[in-house]
Amino acid sequence: MPLSDADLKAFSDFERSGWENAADPYHRHWGGLSVQSAGSMLDAVRVSPGSRVLDVATGAGYVAAAAHRRGASAIGVDFSNAQIDLARSTYPGVEFEQANAEDLPFADGTFDSVVMGFGMNHMPKPEIVCGEVFRVLKKGGRFAFTVWAAPQEGEGFGIVLSAIDEHGLPITDLPDAPPYFRFADSREVRGVLEQSGFVDIGTELVQQLWHHDHADQLFDAFNEGAVRATAMLRSQPRERLDAIRAHVLAETLKLKQGNRFVVPVPAALSFARKP
């Protein structure tokens, strides 16, 4: 059942508040993983020197900075003040601006490419966001975004979410949310992007590997550096949280390679063109 406007507002407020607090922990825990698919995303939209590129939900600025290094004219936007402050301090040579993805402050046909790294799954109204992306793209411009791939056994999200399902209590005080892995499904991607007017739509998996020095880093990333997952974990009674942690640790130990723990966390990369 679709969420009501009140539910969507509650979800949006929760996300905004959460990312104001999670910017630094996410950067510390997830940054080295999130940046791994930036190159594939920029390749999908054919970024080259002189391209005008918009990075929506820029976070700490990973994709905007990667576009800048390719010689593009890049700007990153995010709804979170904390994220924009972090992006500006992390990549001082790149332009960043606070903005709402549902109401982008740019004229029609401004950009050659628009990208979004792991932001679509946090959007209350992704159909509106895709419409805005379509509007600010030039004719022939390209859009690409990544989301986390659907959870699988032995992979990062599969390990942690299965541990929560098996050992955790249902949390009733979190706002209802859109399906987190909706856009890991190529059929959902095609439906929304076609509705916005895009063509040449595709989705592919990008393999990413999280390299950890310690076996507890996978649990710590979800417990400290996310928004909804962090709230889910921190709402658990102590004995339940300890059981979740033990489950994640046992699964992580299976992924040891040499002196490190290598956790697969693939991304689903989708792309399209404005005719």
Side-chain angles (χ1 to χ4, degrees):
M1 178 181 295
L3 298 182
S4 68
D5 287 343
D7 288 335
L8 290 172
K9 184 179 186 308
F11 169 73
S12 180
D13 291 345
F14 174 81
E15 286 282 322
R16 184 183 298 273
S17 174
W19 286 112
E20 291 295 340
N21 295 313
D24 287 318
Y26 182 94
H27 182 49
R28 185 172 66 254
H29 286 290
W30 296 78
L33 176 68
S34 297
V35 75
Q36 291 180 27
S37 53
S40 297
M41 191 162 22
L42 296 178
D43 290 344
V45 296
R46 303 182 183 179
V47 169
S48 59
S51 297
R52 296 200 67 185
V53 180
L54 174 64
D55 179 19
V56 179
T58 190
Y62 310 121
V63 187
H68 178 77
R69 288 193 293 270
R70 291 192 181 196
S73 173
I75 178 170
V77 298
D78 201 287
F79 71 172
S80 164
N81 280 315
Q83 293 283 26
I84 292 299
D85 289 344
L86 177 59
R88 287 170 175 164
S89 65
T90 305
Y91 301 107
V94 182
E95 183 178 358
F96 297 100
E97 179 179 335
Q98 186 182 18
N100 187 335
E102 295 178 10
D103 185 20
L104 294 170
F106 306 104
D108 297 0
T110 298
F111 297 99
D112 299 296
S113 307
V114 178
V115 289
M116 185 190 311
F118 305 104
M120 191 68 82
N121 44 312
H122 298 285
M123 298 295 163
K125 299 179 180 179
E127 291 82 359
I128 293 177
V129 174
C130 290
E132 276 291 275
V133 169
F134 189 90
R135 179 184 66 79
V136 302
L137 276 171
K138 297 176 181 179
K139 289 184 178 180
R142 296 177 185 274
F143 176 37
F145 66 87
T146 51
V147 296
W148 305 110
Q152 302 291 332
E153 183 178 352
E155 297 178 350
F157 276 88
I159 291 171
V160 175
L161 294 180
S162 64
I164 294 173
D165 285 344
E166 183 171 342
H167 303 288
L169 293 177
I171 304 303
T172 59
D173 59 352
L174 293 180
D176 290 336
Y180 189 79
F181 295 100
R182 176 186 178 189
F183 291 102
D185 184 337
S186 61
R187 295 166 298 182
E188 289 287 335
V189 171
R190 180 170 295 277
V192 172
L193 292 182
E194 284 182 343
Q195 177 183 321
S196 299
F198 286 100
V199 298
D200 298 341
I201 300 163
T203 299
E204 61 187 37
L205 277 183
V206 178
Q207 296 301 325
Q208 301 184 133
L209 297 173
W210 223 343
H211 292 84
H212 291 157
D213 294 320
H214 306 288
D216 56 2
Q217 284 179 266
L218 175 59
F219 176 85
D220 289 345
F222 282 83
N223 191 47
E224 300 172 7
V227 173
R228 193 170 186 88
T230 298
M232 291 169 63
L233 288 168
R234 294 188 175 182
S235 296
Q236 297 292 336
R238 171 51 58 184
E239 67 276 7
R240 297 281 183 160
L241 187 63
D242 288 345
I244 294 168
R245 182 193 295 270
H247 181 124
V248 174
L249 178 62
E251 291 300 312
T252 303
L253 289 171
K254 298 176 183 178
L255 301 174
K256 189 173 185 180
Q257 297 183 21
N259 294 324
R260 307 197 80 190
F261 302 90
V262 182
V263 183
V265 193
L269 166 64
S270 295
F271 44 85
R273 179 176 61 86
K274 178 176 178 176

